[in-house]
Amino acid sequence: AEHTLPVIVSIHARSPEELGALAEQVVNAGARALELGIACMNDEETFEDTPDRVYRYTEQERARVSVKISTKLAIGGDTRGRAEAAICAGADAITLNDTIPGLAVETDSGQVYLGDSYGYSGPSLKPMVLAEIFALRNAGFDSPILGSGGVQTCDDIVDYLSVGANVVQVYTALHRNMYDTLVDLHEGLTSWLDNRGM
C-alpha cells in the first residue's frame, strides 16, 4: 500500500467475529478490497458450508469495513443459495472457486496422506468451475463473479470470461515462475484481444 499498489487481501479466520476484526486491521493497513476465504476446508477440521454460515461471515465483515468485499465459495452444495446469501449480507461479489475435498493415499501402505481429506486445487477444477458459473448466470445471478480454478494460459482466462466471470484469478500456476507466468498470461491475452480488434 505504501507503494500505491492496489492490494486485495484474502483473509481467513475461525469465526465471523475473528474475521470481522481481522478485516478491520487489514483495511487499516491499506488493503483496497478483501476476499473472504471462508470455504477452504484446510481452515477447519470439518464443516458443512450453508447459506446461513456464508451470511454470518459476510455480514460480520461488512459491518466492520466499507471497502469492496468478495466472498469466496467452493462449488457444489447449493452454490446459488450460498452466493445469494453472500450478496444479501453485503458482499459486492463472489469468488468461485475455493478448494474442494481431495484425498491422497500411499499405494504400498494404504495409508492416507496427511491423515485426512484436504483442499484440492489446480487445473482439473476448471471445467467444474466453468459449469458452475455458467449455471449461475443462466439462473439469473447477476452479481459480479471472480472466476478461479485451473488458470494456466490465456485460453483459460478467455474461457472464464466467456461463461460470465467478470474477473479471473490466477493462483496455483503462480507457484512456478510467478513473474514469468504473469507476463505470459498478460501478453497472451493482449495478443488474443489484438487479433480480434478488441
Side-chain angles (χ1 to χ4, degrees), residues 72-83:
K72 192 169 190 177
L73 305 173
I75 57 174
D78 190 16
T79 302
R80 184 178 178 187
R82 290 180 292 118

Side-chain angles (χ1 to χ4, degrees), residues 33-134:
L34 298 172
E35 179 181 78
L36 313 189
I38 64 172
C40 183
M41 63 179 302
N42 294 340
D43 286 344
E44 304 178 43
E45 290 184 8
T46 58
F47 74 84
E48 181 181 352
D49 211 6
T50 63
D52 177 66
R53 180 179 181 277
V54 170
Y55 187 94
R56 287 186 290 109
Y57 272 86
T58 306
E59 179 186 44
Q60 185 65 225
E61 183 149 0
R62 177 45 72 212
R64 303 288 286 267
V65 299
S66 59
V67 299
K68 298 290 186 184
I69 293 172
S70 181
T71 301
K72 192 169 190 177
L73 305 173
I75 57 174
D78 190 16
T79 302
R80 184 178 178 187
R82 290 180 292 118
E84 290 174 345
I87 299 301
C88 287
D92 300 285
I94 63 161
T95 302
L96 283 180
N97 172 64
D98 210 318
T99 59
I100 63 172
L103 193 73
V105 178
E106 206 287 315
T107 306
D108 290 335
S109 69
Q111 295 297 307
V112 173
Y113 282 114
L114 303 176
D116 205 340
S117 298
Y118 271 80
Y120 175 74
S121 63
S124 60
L125 294 184
K126 180 187 156 192
M128 293 180 279
V129 183
L130 289 175
E132 201 77 54
I133 294 173
F134 186 74

